[in-house]
Short mmCIF file of all heavy atoms in Angstrom, two decimals:
data_model
loop_
_atom_site.label_atom_id
_atom_site.label_comp_id
_atom_site.label_asym_id
_atom_site.label_seq_id
_atom_site.Cartn_x
_atom_site.Cartn_y
_atom_site.Cartn_z
N LEU A 130 108.62 141.80 77.87
CA LEU A 130 107.46 142.05 76.91
C LEU A 130 106.08 141.82 77.63
O LEU A 130 105.28 142.65 77.42
CB LEU A 130 107.57 141.23 75.66
CG LEU A 130 108.77 141.60 74.71
CD1 LEU A 130 109.02 140.40 73.82
CD2 LEU A 130 108.43 142.87 73.92
N ARG A 131 105.95 140.73 78.33
CA ARG A 131 104.77 140.50 79.15
C ARG A 131 104.49 141.60 80.11
O ARG A 131 103.39 142.08 80.22
CB ARG A 131 104.88 139.18 79.84
CG ARG A 131 104.71 138.03 78.93
CD ARG A 131 104.79 136.73 79.77
NE ARG A 131 104.70 135.45 78.88
CZ ARG A 131 105.43 134.50 78.99
NH1 ARG A 131 106.36 134.30 79.93
NH2 ARG A 131 105.19 133.42 78.23
N ALA A 132 105.49 142.02 80.89
CA ALA A 132 105.36 143.08 81.87
C ALA A 132 104.95 144.31 81.29
O ALA A 132 104.35 145.18 82.00
CB ALA A 132 106.68 143.22 82.62
N ALA A 133 105.28 144.59 79.99
CA ALA A 133 104.92 145.93 79.39
C ALA A 133 103.68 145.85 78.59
O ALA A 133 103.39 146.66 77.84
CB ALA A 133 105.98 146.36 78.40
N HIS A 134 102.85 144.73 78.72
CA HIS A 134 101.65 144.47 77.99
C HIS A 134 100.91 145.72 77.89
O HIS A 134 100.61 146.40 78.89
CB HIS A 134 100.81 143.40 78.72
CG HIS A 134 99.50 143.11 78.05
ND1 HIS A 134 99.47 142.43 76.92
CD2 HIS A 134 98.32 143.43 78.48
CE1 HIS A 134 98.15 142.35 76.56
NE2 HIS A 134 97.40 142.97 77.49
N PRO A 135 100.22 146.14 76.73
CA PRO A 135 100.38 145.46 75.47
C PRO A 135 101.68 145.76 74.78
O PRO A 135 102.11 146.90 74.64
CB PRO A 135 99.21 145.98 74.66
CG PRO A 135 99.06 147.36 75.16
CD PRO A 135 99.48 147.30 76.61
N SER A 136 102.47 144.76 74.27
CA SER A 136 103.74 144.88 73.58
C SER A 136 103.77 144.27 72.18
O SER A 136 102.68 143.52 71.92
CB SER A 136 104.88 144.30 74.43
OG SER A 136 104.59 142.91 74.71
N ARG A 137 104.63 144.51 71.37
CA ARG A 137 104.60 144.01 70.10
C ARG A 137 106.00 143.57 69.58
O ARG A 137 107.09 144.25 69.91
CB ARG A 137 104.21 145.24 69.11
CG ARG A 137 102.72 145.57 69.39
CD ARG A 137 102.23 146.68 68.48
NE ARG A 137 100.74 146.60 68.62
CZ ARG A 137 99.91 147.35 67.88
NH1 ARG A 137 100.35 148.22 66.99
NH2 ARG A 137 98.65 147.24 68.07
N VAL A 138 105.94 142.46 68.85
CA VAL A 138 107.19 141.99 68.17
C VAL A 138 106.97 142.04 66.58
O VAL A 138 105.99 141.65 66.12
CB VAL A 138 107.38 140.44 68.58
CG1 VAL A 138 108.52 139.87 67.78
CG2 VAL A 138 107.57 140.32 69.99
N LEU A 139 107.93 142.68 65.98
CA LEU A 139 107.84 142.78 64.50
C LEU A 139 108.97 142.05 63.80
O LEU A 139 110.19 142.37 64.15
CB LEU A 139 107.77 144.31 64.16
CG LEU A 139 107.44 144.48 62.66
CD1 LEU A 139 106.12 144.16 62.30
CD2 LEU A 139 107.57 146.09 62.40
N MET A 140 108.68 141.16 62.90
CA MET A 140 109.75 140.43 62.17
C MET A 140 109.89 141.16 60.75
O MET A 140 108.83 141.56 60.26
CB MET A 140 109.37 139.06 61.94
CG MET A 140 108.87 138.43 63.11
SD MET A 140 109.94 137.05 63.60
CE MET A 140 109.06 136.29 64.83
N VAL A 141 111.07 141.19 60.18
CA VAL A 141 111.16 141.72 58.86
C VAL A 141 111.44 140.66 57.86
O VAL A 141 112.52 139.91 57.84
CB VAL A 141 112.37 142.85 58.80
CG1 VAL A 141 112.49 143.43 57.34
CG2 VAL A 141 112.00 143.96 59.84
N GLY A 142 110.44 140.45 56.99
CA GLY A 142 110.47 139.34 56.12
C GLY A 142 111.15 139.84 54.79
O GLY A 142 111.67 140.98 54.74
N ALA A 143 111.03 139.01 53.81
CA ALA A 143 111.55 139.35 52.35
C ALA A 143 110.70 138.56 51.43
O ALA A 143 110.37 137.38 51.55
CB ALA A 143 113.02 139.01 52.27
N GLY A 144 110.34 139.26 50.30
CA GLY A 144 109.50 138.63 49.24
C GLY A 144 110.07 137.46 48.58
O GLY A 144 109.37 136.53 48.14
N ILE A 145 111.45 137.40 48.60
CA ILE A 145 112.17 136.34 47.97
C ILE A 145 111.80 134.92 48.63
O ILE A 145 112.08 133.83 48.11
CB ILE A 145 113.65 136.59 47.99
CG1 ILE A 145 114.27 135.75 46.90
CG2 ILE A 145 114.27 136.32 49.37
CD1 ILE A 145 115.57 136.39 46.38
N ALA A 146 111.28 134.98 49.83
CA ALA A 146 110.86 133.65 50.57
C ALA A 146 109.96 132.98 49.73
O ALA A 146 109.93 131.74 49.75
CB ALA A 146 110.33 133.95 51.92
N ASP A 147 109.05 133.60 48.99
CA ASP A 147 108.01 132.97 48.20
C ASP A 147 108.27 133.10 46.64
O ASP A 147 107.40 132.70 45.88
CB ASP A 147 106.70 133.64 48.53
CG ASP A 147 106.35 133.38 49.99
OD1 ASP A 147 106.51 132.14 50.42
OD2 ASP A 147 105.94 134.26 50.68
N ARG A 148 109.41 133.72 46.27
CA ARG A 148 109.74 133.80 44.86
C ARG A 148 111.16 133.32 44.62
O ARG A 148 112.08 134.17 44.38
CB ARG A 148 109.57 135.29 44.42
CG ARG A 148 108.09 135.72 44.38
CD ARG A 148 107.95 137.12 43.67
NE ARG A 148 108.78 138.11 44.19
CZ ARG A 148 108.38 138.94 45.21
NH1 ARG A 148 107.20 138.80 45.76
NH2 ARG A 148 109.19 139.85 45.75
N PRO A 149 111.38 132.01 44.65
CA PRO A 149 112.82 131.56 44.47
C PRO A 149 113.48 132.04 43.16
O PRO A 149 112.79 132.17 42.08
CB PRO A 149 112.70 130.03 44.43
CG PRO A 149 111.30 129.64 45.08
CD PRO A 149 110.46 130.90 44.75
N GLN A 150 114.68 132.62 43.30
CA GLN A 150 115.40 133.03 42.12
C GLN A 150 116.81 132.40 42.23
O GLN A 150 117.36 132.14 43.34
CB GLN A 150 115.64 134.55 42.12
CG GLN A 150 114.26 135.33 41.92
CD GLN A 150 114.42 136.77 42.23
OE1 GLN A 150 115.44 137.37 42.09
NE2 GLN A 150 113.41 137.41 42.79
N PRO A 151 117.39 132.20 41.03
CA PRO A 151 118.79 131.53 41.08
C PRO A 151 119.72 132.17 41.99
O PRO A 151 119.79 133.56 42.17
CB PRO A 151 119.21 131.75 39.62
CG PRO A 151 117.88 131.80 38.84
CD PRO A 151 116.95 132.47 39.70
N GLY A 152 120.44 131.41 42.78
CA GLY A 152 121.54 131.83 43.64
C GLY A 152 121.15 132.49 44.91
O GLY A 152 122.04 133.03 45.65
N THR A 153 119.86 132.50 45.26
CA THR A 153 119.47 133.20 46.47
C THR A 153 119.00 132.37 47.55
O THR A 153 118.33 132.62 48.45
CB THR A 153 118.29 134.12 46.12
OG1 THR A 153 117.22 133.39 45.60
CG2 THR A 153 118.72 135.23 45.18
N GLY A 154 119.61 131.07 47.59
CA GLY A 154 119.21 130.01 48.51
C GLY A 154 119.25 130.37 49.93
O GLY A 154 118.36 130.33 50.71
N SER A 155 120.44 130.69 50.48
CA SER A 155 120.63 130.96 51.86
C SER A 155 119.68 132.13 52.39
O SER A 155 119.01 131.87 53.43
CB SER A 155 122.12 131.43 52.17
OG SER A 155 122.97 130.35 51.97
N TYR A 156 119.60 133.11 51.64
CA TYR A 156 118.72 134.22 52.09
C TYR A 156 117.27 133.77 51.97
O TYR A 156 116.55 134.01 52.95
CB TYR A 156 119.06 135.43 51.19
CG TYR A 156 118.21 136.68 51.48
CD1 TYR A 156 118.37 137.24 52.86
CD2 TYR A 156 117.51 137.32 50.57
CE1 TYR A 156 117.72 138.39 53.14
CE2 TYR A 156 116.89 138.62 50.85
CZ TYR A 156 116.92 139.06 52.15
OH TYR A 156 116.31 140.27 52.50
N GLY A 157 116.88 133.26 50.87
CA GLY A 157 115.45 132.88 50.60
C GLY A 157 114.97 131.78 51.67
O GLY A 157 113.93 131.93 52.20
N ILE A 158 115.81 130.76 51.80
CA ILE A 158 115.48 129.66 52.62
C ILE A 158 115.27 130.16 54.13
O ILE A 158 114.34 129.86 54.82
CB ILE A 158 116.51 128.48 52.60
CG1 ILE A 158 116.40 127.78 51.18
CG2 ILE A 158 116.27 127.47 53.69
CD1 ILE A 158 117.63 127.00 50.93
N SER A 159 116.23 131.02 54.56
CA SER A 159 116.16 131.48 55.91
C SER A 159 114.99 132.39 56.09
O SER A 159 114.36 132.52 57.23
CB SER A 159 117.49 132.03 56.35
OG SER A 159 117.91 133.11 55.44
N LYS A 160 114.73 133.24 55.04
CA LYS A 160 113.56 134.14 55.23
C LYS A 160 112.26 133.31 55.29
O LYS A 160 111.27 133.76 55.87
CB LYS A 160 113.54 135.24 54.15
CG LYS A 160 114.60 136.30 54.48
CD LYS A 160 114.24 137.17 55.61
CE LYS A 160 115.36 138.34 55.71
NZ LYS A 160 115.00 139.25 56.89
N LYS A 161 112.18 132.28 54.50
CA LYS A 161 111.00 131.44 54.53
C LYS A 161 110.88 130.79 55.88
O LYS A 161 109.66 130.75 56.40
CB LYS A 161 111.17 130.27 53.39
CG LYS A 161 110.00 129.35 53.26
CD LYS A 161 109.06 129.81 52.15
CE LYS A 161 107.87 128.90 51.90
NZ LYS A 161 106.95 129.50 51.05
N ALA A 162 111.92 130.43 56.47
CA ALA A 162 111.85 129.88 57.88
C ALA A 162 111.47 130.90 58.87
O ALA A 162 110.70 130.65 59.82
CB ALA A 162 113.20 129.27 58.17
N LEU A 163 111.89 132.23 58.51
CA LEU A 163 111.51 133.27 59.55
C LEU A 163 109.96 133.37 59.38
O LEU A 163 109.23 133.67 60.43
CB LEU A 163 112.22 134.60 59.15
CG LEU A 163 111.68 135.90 59.86
CD1 LEU A 163 112.10 135.73 61.33
CD2 LEU A 163 112.15 137.05 59.16
N THR A 164 109.45 133.33 58.19
CA THR A 164 107.92 133.50 58.09
C THR A 164 107.25 132.35 58.90
O THR A 164 106.30 132.62 59.51
CB THR A 164 107.55 133.34 56.59
OG1 THR A 164 108.27 134.33 55.79
CG2 THR A 164 106.06 133.59 56.34
N ARG A 165 107.77 131.17 58.85
CA ARG A 165 107.22 130.13 59.60
C ARG A 165 107.34 130.24 61.06
O ARG A 165 106.41 129.95 61.86
CB ARG A 165 107.84 128.82 59.19
CG ARG A 165 107.31 127.46 59.69
CD ARG A 165 105.77 127.27 59.33
NE ARG A 165 105.44 126.07 59.93
CZ ARG A 165 105.01 125.93 61.20
NH1 ARG A 165 105.18 126.83 62.08
NH2 ARG A 165 104.53 124.72 61.58
N LEU A 166 108.41 130.91 61.55
CA LEU A 166 108.62 131.19 62.94
C LEU A 166 107.55 132.23 63.33
O LEU A 166 107.05 132.14 64.45
CB LEU A 166 110.04 131.73 63.14
CG LEU A 166 110.30 132.29 64.60
CD1 LEU A 166 110.19 131.14 65.59
CD2 LEU A 166 111.67 132.96 64.65
N PHE A 167 107.34 133.24 62.53
CA PHE A 167 106.33 134.23 62.85
C PHE A 167 104.93 133.46 62.97
O PHE A 167 104.26 133.87 63.87
CB PHE A 167 106.29 135.25 61.64
CG PHE A 167 104.97 135.89 61.45
CD1 PHE A 167 104.34 136.72 62.35
CD2 PHE A 167 104.30 135.68 60.24
CE1 PHE A 167 103.16 137.25 62.11
CE2 PHE A 167 103.03 136.22 59.93
CZ PHE A 167 102.44 136.98 60.90
N GLU A 168 104.61 132.67 62.10
CA GLU A 168 103.34 131.96 62.18
C GLU A 168 103.30 131.09 63.50
O GLU A 168 102.25 131.03 64.14
CB GLU A 168 103.12 131.02 60.95
CG GLU A 168 102.96 131.78 59.64
CD GLU A 168 103.06 130.95 58.29
OE1 GLU A 168 103.58 129.86 58.51
OE2 GLU A 168 102.81 131.43 57.26
N GLN A 169 104.36 130.43 63.80
CA GLN A 169 104.50 129.60 64.94
C GLN A 169 104.21 130.53 66.20
O GLN A 169 103.50 130.07 67.20
CB GLN A 169 105.79 128.79 65.08
CG GLN A 169 105.76 127.75 66.07
CD GLN A 169 104.74 126.66 65.72
OE1 GLN A 169 104.64 126.29 64.62
NE2 GLN A 169 103.94 126.30 66.68
N MET A 170 104.97 131.63 66.30
CA MET A 170 104.75 132.60 67.48
C MET A 170 103.46 132.87 67.60
O MET A 170 102.89 133.06 68.60
CB MET A 170 105.72 133.74 67.31
CG MET A 170 107.10 133.49 67.90
SD MET A 170 107.89 135.12 67.89
CE MET A 170 109.59 134.54 67.91
N GLN A 171 102.71 133.29 66.49
CA GLN A 171 101.40 133.79 66.49
C GLN A 171 100.50 132.75 67.02
O GLN A 171 99.74 133.02 67.95
CB GLN A 171 101.13 134.16 65.06
CG GLN A 171 99.64 134.45 64.76
CD GLN A 171 99.14 135.62 65.66
OE1 GLN A 171 99.90 136.42 66.14
NE2 GLN A 171 97.76 135.77 65.82
N VAL A 172 100.47 131.52 66.61
CA VAL A 172 99.56 130.47 67.16
C VAL A 172 99.90 130.19 68.58
O VAL A 172 99.00 130.01 69.44
CB VAL A 172 99.42 129.32 66.24
CG1 VAL A 172 98.98 129.54 64.87
CG2 VAL A 172 100.83 128.48 66.19
N ASP A 173 101.22 130.03 68.91
CA ASP A 173 101.60 129.66 70.26
C ASP A 173 101.11 130.78 71.32
O ASP A 173 100.59 130.52 72.37
CB ASP A 173 103.06 129.45 70.41
CG ASP A 173 103.29 128.03 69.82
OD1 ASP A 173 102.41 127.11 69.71
OD2 ASP A 173 104.49 127.71 69.67
N PHE A 174 101.30 132.09 70.87
CA PHE A 174 100.96 133.22 71.78
C PHE A 174 99.47 133.24 71.90
O PHE A 174 98.94 133.47 72.94
CB PHE A 174 101.55 134.56 71.26
CG PHE A 174 102.97 134.72 71.50
CD1 PHE A 174 103.75 135.58 70.85
CD2 PHE A 174 103.63 134.14 72.58
CE1 PHE A 174 105.10 135.78 71.09
CE2 PHE A 174 104.99 134.30 72.82
CZ PHE A 174 105.69 135.12 72.07
N ALA A 175 98.71 133.01 70.66
CA ALA A 175 97.29 133.20 70.72
C ALA A 175 96.65 132.25 71.70
O ALA A 175 95.60 132.60 72.33
CB ALA A 175 96.69 132.92 69.32
N GLN A 176 97.15 131.05 71.92
CA GLN A 176 96.53 130.01 72.82
C GLN A 176 97.11 130.13 74.20
O GLN A 176 96.88 129.20 75.08
CB GLN A 176 96.55 128.65 72.13
CG GLN A 176 98.08 128.04 71.92
CD GLN A 176 98.42 127.20 73.04
OE1 GLN A 176 97.77 126.32 73.54
NE2 GLN A 176 99.65 127.47 73.57
N SER A 177 98.04 131.13 74.45
CA SER A 177 98.63 131.27 75.76
C SER A 177 97.96 132.37 76.51
O SER A 177 96.80 132.71 76.27
CB SER A 177 100.11 131.50 75.46
OG SER A 177 100.84 131.31 76.69
N ARG A 178 98.59 132.92 77.49
CA ARG A 178 98.07 133.91 78.32
C ARG A 178 97.79 135.30 77.72
O ARG A 178 98.36 135.58 76.64
CB ARG A 178 98.89 134.12 79.64
CG ARG A 178 100.29 134.45 79.30
CD ARG A 178 100.96 134.76 80.70
NE ARG A 178 102.05 133.74 80.90
CZ ARG A 178 102.99 133.81 81.80
NH1 ARG A 178 102.92 134.92 82.66
NH2 ARG A 178 103.86 132.98 82.02
N ALA A 179 96.98 136.13 78.24
CA ALA A 179 96.56 137.35 77.58
C ALA A 179 97.59 138.39 77.48
O ALA A 179 97.55 139.29 76.68
CB ALA A 179 95.36 137.92 78.28
N SER A 180 98.61 138.21 78.38
CA SER A 180 99.65 139.18 78.37
C SER A 180 100.83 139.02 77.25
O SER A 180 101.80 139.71 77.35
CB SER A 180 100.30 139.34 79.64
OG SER A 180 100.84 138.06 80.08
N GLU A 181 100.61 137.99 76.42
CA GLU A 181 101.64 137.81 75.35
C GLU A 181 101.82 138.89 74.40
O GLU A 181 100.73 139.53 74.13
CB GLU A 181 101.35 136.53 74.58
CG GLU A 181 101.26 135.21 75.49
CD GLU A 181 102.54 134.83 76.13
OE1 GLU A 181 103.26 135.82 76.62
OE2 GLU A 181 102.86 133.68 76.27
N PRO A 182 102.93 139.21 73.73
CA PRO A 182 102.99 140.22 72.80
C PRO A 182 102.24 139.96 71.46
O PRO A 182 102.13 138.74 71.13
CB PRO A 182 104.49 140.33 72.53
CG PRO A 182 105.14 139.07 72.93
CD PRO A 182 104.19 138.48 74.00
N ASP A 183 101.78 140.94 70.79
CA ASP A 183 101.24 140.76 69.43
C ASP A 183 102.46 140.70 68.46
O ASP A 183 103.41 141.29 68.61
CB ASP A 183 100.43 141.91 69.06
CG ASP A 183 99.06 141.90 69.79
OD1 ASP A 183 98.64 140.91 70.33
OD2 ASP A 183 98.46 143.09 69.81
N VAL A 184 102.36 139.71 67.54
CA VAL A 184 103.43 139.52 66.51
C VAL A 184 102.91 139.84 65.16
O VAL A 184 101.89 139.36 64.74
CB VAL A 184 103.97 137.99 66.60
CG1 VAL A 184 105.23 137.84 65.81
CG2 VAL A 184 104.25 137.54 68.10
N ALA A 185 103.81 140.51 64.33
CA ALA A 185 103.45 140.67 62.93
C ALA A 185 104.68 140.59 62.10
O ALA A 185 105.83 140.61 62.66
CB ALA A 185 102.90 142.21 62.81
N LEU A 186 104.43 140.37 60.82
CA LEU A 186 105.54 140.29 59.79
C LEU A 186 105.49 141.56 59.00
O LEU A 186 104.43 141.91 58.47
CB LEU A 186 105.39 139.04 59.00
CG LEU A 186 106.37 138.80 57.92
CD1 LEU A 186 107.61 138.28 58.59
CD2 LEU A 186 105.92 137.70 56.91
N PHE A 187 106.67 142.23 58.72
CA PHE A 187 106.66 143.36 57.84
C PHE A 187 107.44 143.02 56.54
O PHE A 187 108.66 142.56 56.66
CB PHE A 187 107.32 144.50 58.57
CG PHE A 187 107.10 145.81 57.90
CD1 PHE A 187 105.99 146.58 58.17
CD2 PHE A 187 107.95 146.35 56.87
CE1 PHE A 187 105.72 147.83 57.52
CE2 PHE A 187 107.68 147.53 56.26
CZ PHE A 187 106.58 148.30 56.58
N GLN A 188 106.86 143.27 55.39
CA GLN A 188 107.48 142.91 54.05
C GLN A 188 107.78 144.30 53.54
O GLN A 188 106.97 144.99 52.95
CB GLN A 188 106.53 142.22 53.20
CG GLN A 188 106.19 140.81 53.66
CD GLN A 188 107.30 139.78 53.42
OE1 GLN A 188 108.48 140.16 53.27
NE2 GLN A 188 106.94 138.56 53.33
#
Side-chain angles (χ1 to χ4, degrees):
L130 290 162
R131 284 180 179 140
H134 177 75
S136 58
R137 293 181 163 183
V138 174
L139 189 62
M140 316 243 188
V141 180
I145 205 154
D147 296 314
R148 290 193 301 273
Q150 292 169 33
T153 59
S155 291
Y156 185 55
I158 292 164
S159 56
K160 285 292 185 178
K161 185 91 178 174
L163 174 71
T164 305
R165 185 63 178 75
L166 174 64
F167 150 66
E168 292 165 349
Q169 193 64 46
M170 271 192 201
Q171 169 60 17
V172 296
D173 283 346
F174 283 157
Q176 60 94 51
S177 193
R178 56 176 114 170
S180 58
E181 301 298 37
D183 288 338
V184 187
L186 181 74
F187 194 90
Q188 295 283 23

